[in-house]
Amino acid sequence: MSDKNARTISNPSNRAKPKESKEKKVVFKGVLDSPFRIQWPSVPLNLQNSIMAYMLELLEGASDYHYKRCASSRKRKRAVNSADTSQRNKARKLDKNGSRSPNDMDLSEPSPTVSNQAAGPSLTPNVPSNQNRGSSDAVAEDVGDEPPLLMRHLLYGINAVTKRLEIQAHNARRPAIITVPEPPTAPPKLLKYIFVCRADVDPALLINHLPHLVAAYNSTHPSEHVKLVPLPQGSELALAQVLGIRRVTVLAIDIDYPDDPRLKSMLEPVPILTASWLSQSKSSPSLVPTHIKHLRTTAPKDMKEAKESRVQGRAVAKQKKLAQKSVAASNKS
């Protein structure tokens, strides 16, 4: 083994070199904050921990149900695949024993399947084999355990909850007018509570749209409002473990969930998000106070010198562009 040390490169990187060596100073610029921004509800940390503990209690046993359902699904697929494989093996054995394959049949002779189809529908229905029926019944018996009550009224996932909220807010502001009769379809269940693992989400941009959607719906339905509840740090992993899934960031409970006095009392202090500019009430909307943010940035110390160098750079770039055009024109000629 060689005793030489690994060669190291001490040359500075080209990206590490500053583009401009001019001296700059730190400045703060005043920027008006958007008045249409919805803040997250302020929930004390002790209340968040209490809500989180009760949610874990309500979802106890959900992981076992998910595991059994996945195992039964795999068992059903294996049963179907084994049945198909056995049928293929039987067909191959018949071909090896001397029966003619479809490719060896004379084209002048009509195929029995075609003649039967031409004469009319077959009188022998397609009856599933006893093996398939027995396997499906066994799978149904394996999943016999009932899921927790909350699982029947639970929706989780950022995309799933966002889609349901968008439909809910859209239907609240613009009722659908159907002129052509359509087959009746069950409308999606309305959401009542939304729990977000805000402290565990990185980047936060993934969930920044949720307060706006909730406020848009609450502004049109003050009686049937939706509450947005942030959860403490570490709730994402705890909820994923109790649900038996890889990751969960957002949980939502629909309006059909039976009234739970304990959960209702816990969520009562959580403020309701609304947007005054989206309210359909005749009362004048309340004005949002002006909020000025300060943006930290840099600026050249000598503004006059920076302006002159910028003008010179533009002139040099213009001359270079004209020179390239003249060279291209001379090459064409």
Side-chain angles (χ1 to χ4, degrees):
M1 190 172 181
S2 177
D3 296 335
K4 295 182 180 179
N5 297 327
R7 188 180 64 174
T8 58
I9 300 175
S10 58
N11 296 332
S13 173
N14 293 332
R15 295 182 180 180
K17 295 180 180 179
K19 295 182 179 179
E20 296 179 0
S21 59
K22 299 176 183 177
E23 296 182 356
K24 293 186 177 182
K25 59 182 179 179
V26 177
V27 295
F28 294 90
K29 292 186 178 181
V31 181
L32 286 176
D33 191 13
S34 173
F36 303 108
R37 188 179 64 172
I38 305 295
Q39 299 287 348
W40 282 84
S42 178
V43 182
L45 184 59
N46 57 348
L47 182 57
Q48 293 184 23
N49 293 327
S50 301
I51 295 172
M52 179 62 192
Y54 187 59
M55 289 292 295
L56 295 177
E57 182 181 344
L58 292 175
L59 292 172
E60 187 177 358
S63 60
D64 297 337
Y65 175 76
H66 275 149
Y67 293 151
K68 290 182 180 179
R69 190 178 65 173
C70 293
S72 63
S73 177
R74 289 193 294 267
K75 186 186 296 184
R76 182 175 62 254
K77 291 179 181 179
R78 284 197 298 266
V80 172
N81 293 337
S82 62
D84 295 342
T85 305
S86 62
Q87 290 179 1
R88 293 195 196 98
N89 293 336
K90 289 181 181 179
R92 290 173 183 173
K93 288 181 180 179
L94 291 175
D95 293 340
K96 289 181 179 179
N97 291 334
S99 61
R100 291 181 297 175
S101 62
N103 297 330
D104 298 332
M105 295 177 67
D106 189 1
L107 297 177
S108 61
E109 297 180 0
S111 174
T113 57
V114 175
S115 61
N116 292 339
Q117 293 177 359
S122 176
L123 298 178
T124 58
N126 294 328
V127 181
S129 62
N130 295 331
Q131 183 181 0
N132 294 341
R133 285 205 304 265
S135 62
S136 61
D137 294 341
V139 170
E141 292 176 359
D142 291 342
V143 190
D145 296 343
E146 291 289 334
L149 178 61
L150 184 59
M151 283 291 297
R152 301 179 182 178
H153 307 275
L154 192 67
L155 183 69
Y156 53 86
I158 297 177
N159 294 338
V161 175
T162 300
K163 185 177 180 180
R164 182 74 63 85
L165 267 178
E166 289 176 347
I167 296 174
Q168 189 169 329
H170 182 270
N171 294 339
R173 297 192 62 85
R174 296 181 180 179
I177 302 175
I178 302 175
T179 56
V180 181
E182 295 182 356
T185 57
K189 297 180 181 180
L190 301 180
L191 301 181
K192 189 175 183 180
Y193 303 123
I194 299 176
F195 304 91
V196 184
C197 306
R198 185 189 176 193
D200 298 326
V201 179
D202 186 23
L205 186 64
L206 296 173
I207 56 174
N208 281 347
H209 60 282
L210 293 177
H212 297 80
L213 289 175
V214 172
Y217 176 77
N218 291 339
S219 301
T220 56
H221 281 69
S223 59
E224 300 176 358
H225 51 260
V226 178
K227 283 197 173 183
L228 185 65
V229 185
L231 296 178
Q233 189 174 6
S235 55
E236 185 178 18
L237 179 59
L239 288 172
Q241 290 178 351
V242 76
L243 286 173
I245 56 180
R246 184 175 300 175
R247 177 178 295 179
V248 59
T249 304
V250 182
L251 291 174
I253 302 176
D254 60 39
I255 201 171
D256 293 340
Y257 181 66
D259 192 13
D260 191 339
R262 184 178 173 185
L263 182 61
K264 188 176 181 180
S265 62
M266 285 183 178
L267 299 180
E268 190 173 356
V270 178
I272 300 173
L273 300 181
T274 56
S276 58
W277 58 90
L278 295 177
S279 178
Q280 296 180 351
S281 60
K282 296 182 180 179
S283 59
S284 59
S286 59
L287 299 178
V288 180
T290 304
H291 179 63
I292 300 177
K293 299 188 299 183
H294 288 84
L295 180 64
R296 186 176 186 270
T297 182
T298 58
K301 287 187 176 181
D302 192 347
M303 297 296 294
K304 184 177 180 180
E305 181 183 358
K307 186 176 180 180
E308 291 177 354
S309 62
R310 188 165 58 248
V311 172
Q312 292 177 1
R314 290 176 182 175
V316 172
K318 188 175 181 180
Q319 293 178 359
K320 186 177 180 180
K321 190 175 181 180
L322 292 175
Q324 291 176 354
K325 287 184 178 180
S326 61
V327 172
S330 62
N331 292 336
K332 288 183 178 178
S333 60

